[in-house]
Amino acid sequence: MASRVIMVDPWWNSASEQQAFCRVFRIGQKEETYMSRLCVENTVDQRLIEMQERKDKEIEEVMEDNGKRTNK
C-alpha cells in the first residue's frame, strides 16, 4: 500500500537505500512513488551521503552501460 519512502538514517551503501525504494516501486504499484532522504549538514549523515556519491561515481567509471567491466 505504501507509495513513499523516507530515509532518516543513511546507509554507507546506496544499494540498501535503492532496495528500500524498490520495495515501494514494484509490480502492481498504481500510485506515483516518492523517496525522500533526510540529512543534517555537518554530521556523520552528510559524510555518509558524500561517501555514497563517491562510491557510486567510482563504480560508474569502471562499468560500461551494459554492466560489464571495462578494460581501464
Side-chain angles (χ1 to χ4, degrees):
M1 299 299 289
S3 62
R4 298 177 189 270
V5 175
I6 302 172
M7 304 300 290
V8 295
D9 190 18
W11 289 73
W12 64 272
N13 183 349
S14 64
S16 298
E17 293 182 1
Q18 290 173 358
Q19 182 182 29
F21 178 68
C22 287
R23 290 180 181 199
V24 170
F25 185 72
R26 64 196 177 282
I27 296 173
Q29 175 64 273
K30 296 179 179 164
E31 306 233 359
E32 191 167 354
T33 54
Y34 302 91
M35 180 173 172
S36 300
R37 183 167 42 180
L38 304 178
C39 178
V40 180
E41 281 186 291
N42 302 316
T43 66
V44 69
D45 290 353
Q46 183 176 2
R47 297 208 46 195
L48 283 170
I49 300 299
E50 291 168 355
M51 184 172 58
Q52 282 182 359
E53 291 170 351
R54 185 179 69 248
K55 287 174 64 174
D56 289 343
K57 182 181 175 195
E58 290 171 358
I59 290 169
E60 188 175 310
E61 288 174 356
V62 298
M63 301 295 282
E64 293 178 331
D65 289 336
N66 61 4
K68 294 182 181 176
R69 191 178 175 112
T70 64
N71 294 328
K72 291 183 180 179

